[in-house]
Amino acid sequence: MNIPTIKTKRLILRGFREADLDAYAEMCADTEVMRYIGKGKVLSRAESWRSMAAIIGHWYLRGYGLWAVEEQQSGEMIGRIGCWKPEGWIGLEVGWSLRRAFWGKGFATEAGKASMDFAFTKLQQSHVISLIRPDNTASRKVAEKLGEKLQGETEVSGGEAVIYGISREEWGKVRS
């Protein structure tokens, strides 16, 4: 499978490479980054590698997935963002996670917009969600900047999550 590459103003969304492991493992070992992801636990380097492999496998099984996000200016891999729907998920999710050094720069919103466009235009989704831990105010703000509205609550990976969502019609209004 050929994972598509998307360029935004400052970022490149691309498939993961083995060379991304150092940066990805650093992100996955950061307690502040991981406190809202999965079970809220940091990952070892080996677990980070398996996580990258699962992300790549998701592309092969579903035809879409999370991209490695590269900052164009520096060439650094800064995180993962994209479309995600593992078995048992309640809907197609646009999700994001960035290395802490790249927080607060608008990168999650910028790549999130590209991911939403991909979900609605290439994947022809009628509705997209983002699952966020209730106390993750930064991610809730990103979801709101993407035009998503709070739509309910659920449980994910053994913890509470709020569901933000947006329809294709609403996205069309947000994007125009």
Side-chain angles (χ1 to χ4, degrees):
M1 151 154 248
N2 188 17
I3 298 172
T5 298
I6 298 174
K7 289 188 178 185
T8 67
K9 183 179 178 184
R10 302 175 295 162
L11 304 171
I12 300 169
L13 283 63
R14 58 165 175 78
F16 274 88
R17 304 174 189 144
E18 190 168 358
D20 293 327
L21 180 58
D22 287 342
Y24 190 70
E26 173 204 297
M27 181 180 85
C28 293
D30 187 321
T31 56
E32 283 302 301
V33 171
M34 297 304 290
R35 68 189 259 198
Y36 300 120
I37 306 297
K39 296 188 183 295
K41 298 179 180 171
V42 298
L43 302 180
S44 69
R45 183 176 177 86
E47 290 167 328
S48 298
W49 188 91
R50 285 190 291 279
S51 173
M52 276 179 36
I55 289 168
I56 294 165
H58 190 284
W59 276 100
Y60 283 87
L61 293 172
R62 300 267 194 216
Y64 59 86
L66 298 170
W67 285 279
V69 180
E70 182 179 312
E71 184 186 32
Q72 286 188 42
Q73 183 178 3
S74 67
E76 282 193 70
M77 197 288 290
I78 67 169
R80 65 179 192 196
I81 296 177
C83 303
W84 186 245
K85 190 179 182 209
E87 181 60 30
W89 231 237
I90 63 170
L92 186 131
E93 178 180 14
V94 168
W96 48 85
S97 181
L98 297 175
R99 292 170 52 206
R100 195 177 344 171
F102 298 93
W103 288 1
K105 300 175 189 282
F107 291 144
T109 303
E110 184 175 330
K113 285 179 182 175
S115 297
M116 288 280 188
D117 279 338
F118 185 84
F120 289 122
T121 60
K122 301 291 185 205
L123 302 179
Q124 295 297 304
Q125 295 295 300
S126 60
H127 188 260
V128 172
I129 63 169
S130 295
L131 302 174
I132 302 170
R133 298 289 182 213
D135 56 344
N136 188 345
T137 55
S139 279
R140 290 177 80 144
K141 286 178 185 175
V142 170
E144 290 164 3
K145 287 177 185 175
L146 294 173
E148 291 184 286
K149 303 275 190 269
L150 183 61
Q151 297 184 332
E153 299 176 359
T154 191
E155 186 177 308
V156 176
S157 300
E160 293 178 21
V162 290
I163 306 164
Y164 277 79
I166 188 168
S167 70
R168 183 186 322 194
E169 293 76 27
E170 293 166 328
W171 180 248
K173 293 174 188 172
V174 169
R175 293 298 289 151
S176 31

